[in-house]
């Protein structure tokens, strides 16, 4: 289990990285934290001739308060997000989800950009950026574009990124006042990829939900929003009946895959259970239910 | 007396091993680096069953850094296969079991056909492992796929044969009988018939296997460092394959990162790496990576049982019929040993008058199956202990009560089981109080009645609590023998070497304790050497919960030989009678006369050969003795387990609230080490019960080839565990020791299954296979709820 | 371009350098090039944690990093914990609580624990169990490891941690 023959190029600026990516195209892969890519290389299941190592680009690692939103550089380590007071205060869903990613030594190295660009359907971050309606800033030598999270994840491990494009920044809208959130997931062991995980952010006004965001991971080819469940909560509130109905709606909305760890049916079932737990937790945190 | 040392046996002495291991200063095979060393990558089958037409090595031979590339055809006439019978069965066992055993030999690198995914068919030697893997990828095999035999049951009726000379794919059949099973079943007021499946999982040590070998052409000798539990077996097989005298083959197991049985026999790579080192005349290293380990290191368990039990209205069991299949994979490196254990251990701590067993060891296109912690016992404990719970349900009795009613009582000890053990001796449980162990276990979970009322109250709130029990007995300290050499040189230190090969058990410490007590010396004066064939002529190794008993026996017997000389020489020097002498704190002295004594150092000098020796007439020079301890038969450790679980009715997830094992392994050498052994075993059992599974698809492809899919339990998966040690000495050795390495791993799968079924009793839950899956539990709840509506 | 490069770094306070081809894993560089074999390799896909070392103050899997990425890094391995013969407090606690048997996972466990305890001054016992689930041990059943790390966290942060298993 050793990586195949490859070269590693180490740009020190974004411009240099983009130009290398443009030059080498399909035969190169950007190397972010490497916590998903390097295992694949070690199994020789991925064989890029060139890795463009982004770890020396200091300009890509930051968490900035930009008024209505937080801007997070793509190479920001998950540990930094977990420890950020700004994130804890203004995007608590992102902070809570981060603590559930794998284990601390993985989060020490893994990056938000790497996780999103990898688009593992069971990873936490895609569900979070969908729920928070983040924008993903993407750059190439051709210029910059912004992709809405909803348009970013296309299929298993497949995103809207072109081969010469790099995800450079995640724009995370601050949680509105009156909002409350919860990230819950179930895995076979702590730290494993979720069998089903829910990112929930609910805004309440006078104890009634005014904006409901529910996104699921682990239960389909990509993370996705659960709009039917959102509508039920928004319409019927967070009482037990509404939560039950939302759970059922979520369970029937997802189209999970079966694997060794769980059948599609079980994942569907768990999606419903997690919806219930996430909505309850968010409502409890908002003080709407006890 | 002031000079008498306190006994070391029974004390939790701090382990000698800790300091170096904590500092990262241990030496594992992977840490070794020798001048000029080259590295091996092995090319392994991706097909479960295929005819080999040809293997093209050309591209690999031309790749960068490649020293050698070989396929099976080149080795066919050079290296003999490993004998199918690495362990010989004694006559007494054969007579009692009526076995037909035809375990196939294992070709080191097959040239004609491939029999499991992961089987080697070619190898590359190169300057480093990276280059070796590059070249290995260039090797192209031309194979014709053959129909895969993906399970033991399928193997019975399959047209295809894993080994052409084994019709029906049967490598061994065993039978055993006590009393008149058929008649007893006819006469039984009630009969319970069930099928149980204990799934495949494995030892999974944190250090994968590895071998380094170095050939010395000057002396025509070879040294092999292998991450193995059996250095003397490896020496035997390497010497045989390379046609060298055993004296010229030295095998060392340096620090070994866990074994648990998985490193307990000789693998093809042990021999191949030695062969390559000799052929190339340079050091050669092969390290198994985790993917290879999952595919190729022995798997275990994987037994299918059809059981019939006869019992009466009181739950007294009169008869068990045990028919089972072992899915042994493509080879069976330790013969029919696992099946033999399964037959012998089925009845556990219960007094059952009639028993019949019938077993087939099946060849399939899976990875070879070899003993792993428990080795045949977890499988039968599952079948027996599930059956007891089912009987209890049928009769409306508490499962604990049914166990008490069937248990062998302490006054029945020693208890003759009526079956031969694997060592050829008729089984006689030596000592213990089985009902007391179960009582203690129930106390440990807070009391049976208390739990039942708590369970009832919880159920009223819609919460599902369950109690699982599991009892077993375990033959430990098996022969055939262990060797030890004890020496005292002019330093006065007691040097002990044995054939034991530890993998984390703390043997350096434990055997120092034993020797310090035997010699009445401070433990610091004992030097222990293990796992090195150059220090002990004949040895057996650390498998089967045997070393505490067998190596201690060998240390004692060899010490006794040396003691005779020590006393003779001291008597000569001190001008005293030997019978007046005693060992005291590193000296030999006259009883009651403190000033008349000499140190062991002085005795050793007096024992030297040469002009100035002080030996009496007829006493040979040197203080050195070797003995081979051949235990009369096994000692019987036992345990009772109790655990409380709670089921999450929404997800089916099982939470173990509390787990108790009452374990008795006779006199404990080092209670702290013993506790760690039992706990470690329990957690492996919990892993097997809930997480770990080597899963094959219908094509014989292993679907769990990484740690992403093969799930080992982690720190956050472990419940509070309470291990209560009782110490009923074995009468079979002078120390009272029994073995304990495996015990913990035996019961958890059935304890968990029983607990879950108990929790979901109102739904008629029956879990008769492992692992216990949350999804399956949820299905039971759903079905139960649907039926109720 | 795939030729070996010189990698210079600090390991346990000592400036070291060695050659590494771009694809060489950092774990292999530490072990085979620098001879720091205390760091072990257990799975090479980032799950088992045996190869965990501290790079620039945080614990990372050295099997998921390339050697060339460690250029200029400040690295701490198990060899750097003890002060001569004097064991690091956590090493002492591991021995005291019987947190090791074969010792193969131990170096990674130690490095994982040091970062975990440094990362949070208000750890609960459950946090420690979850945090230590970053690394696999096959021998001990984790009980001693959790106890040792809990005691270490108490030493480092100077306040008691409530143990759920106190009655065990």
């Amino acid at each position: 289990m050793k990586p195949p023959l490859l070269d590693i190029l180490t740009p020190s600026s974004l411009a240099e990285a983009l130009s290398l990516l443009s030059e080498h195209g399909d035969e190169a892969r950007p190397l972010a934290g490497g916590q998903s890519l390097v295992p694949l290389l070690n199994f020789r299941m991925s064989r890029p001739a060139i890795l463009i190592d982004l770890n020396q680009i200091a300009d890509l690692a930051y968490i900035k308060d930009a008024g209505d939103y937080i801007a997070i550089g793509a190479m920001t380590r998950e540990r930094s997000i977990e420890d950020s007071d700004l994130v804890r205060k203004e995007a608590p869903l992102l902070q809570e989800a981060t603590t559930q990613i794998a284990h601390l030594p993985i989060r020490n190295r893994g990056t938000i950009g790497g996780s999103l660009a990898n688009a593992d359907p069971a990873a936490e971050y895609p569900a979070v950026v969908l729920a928070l309606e983040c924008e993903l800033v993407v750059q190439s030598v051709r210029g910059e574009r912004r992709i809405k999270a909803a348009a970013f994840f296309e299929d298993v491990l497949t995103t809207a990124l072109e081969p010469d494009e790099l995800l450079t920044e995640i724009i995370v809208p601050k949680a509105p006042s009156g909002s409350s959130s919860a990230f819950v997931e179930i895995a076979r062991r702590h730290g494993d990829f979720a069998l089903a995980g829910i990112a929930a952010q609910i805004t309440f006004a006078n104890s009634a939900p005014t904006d409901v965001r529910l996104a699921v991971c682990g239960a389909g080819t990509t993370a996705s929003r659960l709009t039917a469940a959102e509508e039920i909560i928004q319409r019927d509130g967070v009482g037990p009946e509404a939560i039950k109905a939302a759970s059922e709606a979520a369970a029937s909305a997802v189209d999970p895959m079966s694997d060794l760890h769980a059948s599609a049916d079980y994942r569907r079932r768990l999606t419903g259970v997690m919806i219930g737990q996430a909505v309850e937790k968010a409502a409890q945190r908002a003080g709407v239910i006890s | 007396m002031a000079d008498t040392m306190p006994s070391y046996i029974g004390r939790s002495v701090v382990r000698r091993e800790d300091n170096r291991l904590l500092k990262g200063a241990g030496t594992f095979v992977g840490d070794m680096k020798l001048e000029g060393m080259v590295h091996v990558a092995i090319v392994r089958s991706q097909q479960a069953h295929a005819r080999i037409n040809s293997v093209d090595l050309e591209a690999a031979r031309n790749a960068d850094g490649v020293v050698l590339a070989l396929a099976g055809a080149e080795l066919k006439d050079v290296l003999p296969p490993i004998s199918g019978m690495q362990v010989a069965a004694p006559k007494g066992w054969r007579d009692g079991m009526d076995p037909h055993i035809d375990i196939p030999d294992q070709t080191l690198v097959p040239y004609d056909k491939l029999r499991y995914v992961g089987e080697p068919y070619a190898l590359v030697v190169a300057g480093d492992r990276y280059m070796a893997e590059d070249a290995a990828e260039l090797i192209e095999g031309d194979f014709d796929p053959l129909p895969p035999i993906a399970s033991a049951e399928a193997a019975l009726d399959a047209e295809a044969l894993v080994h052409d000379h084994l019709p029906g794919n049967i490598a061994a059949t065993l039978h055993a009988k006590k009393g008149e099973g058929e008649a007893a079943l006819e006469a039984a007021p009630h009969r319970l018939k069930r099928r149980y499946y204990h799934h495949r999982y494995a030892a999974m040590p944190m250090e994968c296997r590895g071998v380094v070998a170095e050939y010395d052409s000057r002396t025509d000798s070879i040294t092999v460092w292998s991450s193995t539990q059996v250095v003397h077996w490896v020496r035997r097989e390497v010497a045989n394959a390379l046609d060298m005298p055993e004296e010229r083959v030295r095998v060392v197991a340096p620090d070994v990162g866990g074994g648990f049985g998985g490193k307990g026999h000789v693998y093809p790579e042990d021999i191949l790496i030695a062969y390559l080192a000799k052929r190339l005349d340079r050091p050669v290293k092969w390290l198994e990576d985790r993917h290879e380990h999952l595919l190729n290191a022995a798997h275990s368990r994987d037994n299918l049982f059809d059981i019939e039990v006869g019992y009466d209205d009181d739950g007294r069991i009169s008869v068990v019929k045990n028919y089972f299949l072992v899915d042994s994979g493509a080879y069976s490196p330790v013969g029919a040993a696992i099946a033999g254990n399964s037959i012998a251990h089925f009845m556990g701590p219960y007094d059952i008058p009639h028993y019949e067993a019938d077993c087939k060891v099946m060849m399939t296109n899976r990875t070879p199956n070899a003993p792993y912690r428990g080795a045949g016992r977890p499988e039968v404990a599952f079948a027996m202990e599930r059956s007891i719970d089912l009987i209890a349900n049928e009769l409306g009795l508490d499962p604990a009560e049914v166990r008490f009613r069937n248990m062998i009582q302490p006054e029945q000890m020693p208890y003759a089981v009526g079956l031969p053990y694997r060592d050829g001796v008729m089984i006689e449980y030596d000592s213990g109080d089985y009902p007391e162990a179960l009582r203690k276990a129930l106390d440990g979970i807070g009391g049976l009645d208390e739990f039942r009322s708590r369970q009832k109250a919880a159920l009223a709130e819609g919460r599902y609590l369950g109690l699982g029990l599991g009892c077993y007995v375990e033959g430990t300290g098996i022969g055939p023998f262990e060797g030890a050499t004890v020496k005292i040189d002019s330093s006065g230190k007691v040097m002990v070497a044995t054939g034991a090969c530890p993998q984390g058990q703390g043997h350096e410490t434990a055997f120092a304790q034993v020797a310090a007590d035997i010699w009445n010396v401070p433990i610091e004066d004992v030097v222990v050497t293990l796992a090195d064939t150059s220090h002990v002529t004949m040895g057996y190794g650390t498998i089967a919960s045997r070393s505490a008993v067998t190596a201690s026996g060998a240390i004692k017997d060899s010490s006794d030989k040396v003691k005779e000389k020590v006393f003779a020489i001291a008597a000569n020097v001190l001008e005293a009678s030997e019978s007046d002498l005693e060992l005291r704190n590193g000296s030999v002295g006259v009883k009651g006369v403190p000033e008349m004594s000499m140190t062991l150092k002085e005795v050793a000098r007096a024992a030297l050969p040469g002009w100035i020796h002080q030996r009496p007439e007829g006493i040979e020079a040197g203080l050195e003795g070797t003995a081979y301890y051949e235990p009369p038969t096994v000692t019987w450790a036992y345990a009772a387990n109790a655990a409380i679980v709670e089921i999450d009715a929404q997800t089916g997830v099982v939470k173990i609230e509390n787990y108790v094992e009452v374990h008795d392994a006779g006199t404990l050498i080092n209670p702290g080490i013993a506790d760690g052994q039992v706990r470690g075993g329990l957690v492996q059992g919990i892993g097997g019960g809930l997480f770990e599974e080597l899963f094959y698809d219908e094509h014989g492809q292993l679907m769990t080839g990484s740690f992403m899919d093969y799930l080992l339990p982690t720190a956050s998966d472990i419940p509070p565990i309470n291990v209560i040690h009782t110490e009923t000495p074995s009468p079979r050795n002078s120390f009272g020791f029994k073995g304990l390495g495996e015990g913990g791993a035996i019961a958890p799968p059935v304890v968990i299954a029983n607990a879950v079924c108990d929790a979901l009793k109102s739904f008629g839950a029956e879990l008769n296979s492992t692992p216990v899956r949350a999804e399956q539990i949820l299905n039971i709840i759903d079905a139960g709820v649907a039926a109720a509506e | 371009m795939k030729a070996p490069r010189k990698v210079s770094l600090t390991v346990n306070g000592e400036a070291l350098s060695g050659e590494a081809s771009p694809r060489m894993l950092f774990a292999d560089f530490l072990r085979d090039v620098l001879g720091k074999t205390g760091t072990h390799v257990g799975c090479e896909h980032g799950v088992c944690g045996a190869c965990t070392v501290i790079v620039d103050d945080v614990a990372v899997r050295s099997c998921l990093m390339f050697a060339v990425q460690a250029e200029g890094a400040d690295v701490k391995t198990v060899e750097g914990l003890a002060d001569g013969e004097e064991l690091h407090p956590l090493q002492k606690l591991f021995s005291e609580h019987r947190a090791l048997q074969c010792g193969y996972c131990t170096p990674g466990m130690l490095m994982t624990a040091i970062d975990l305890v440094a990362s949070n001054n208000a750890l609960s016992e459950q946090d420690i169990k979850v945090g230590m689930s970053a690394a696999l041990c096959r021998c001990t059943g984790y009980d001693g490891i959790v106890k040792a790390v809990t005691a270490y966290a108490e030493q480092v942060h100077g306040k008691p941690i409530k143990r759920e298993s106190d009655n065990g």
Side-chain angles (χ1 to χ4, degrees), chain B residues 14 18 22, chain C residues 91-100 148 151 155:
Chain B
V14 172
D18 285 0
L22 284 164
Chain C
Q91 290 173 316
K92 286 185 195 165
L93 289 164
F94 259 56
S95 184
E96 205 173 292
H97 289 283
R98 303 189 177 277
L100 72 158
Q155 279 183 16

Side-chain angles (χ1 to χ4, degrees), chain C residues 8-25:
Chain C
S8 301
L9 71 176
T10 306
V11 181
N12 304 324
E14 190 185 354
L16 295 174
S17 65
E19 297 254 295
S21 65
R23 65 166 160 171
M24 180 181 269
L25 299 174

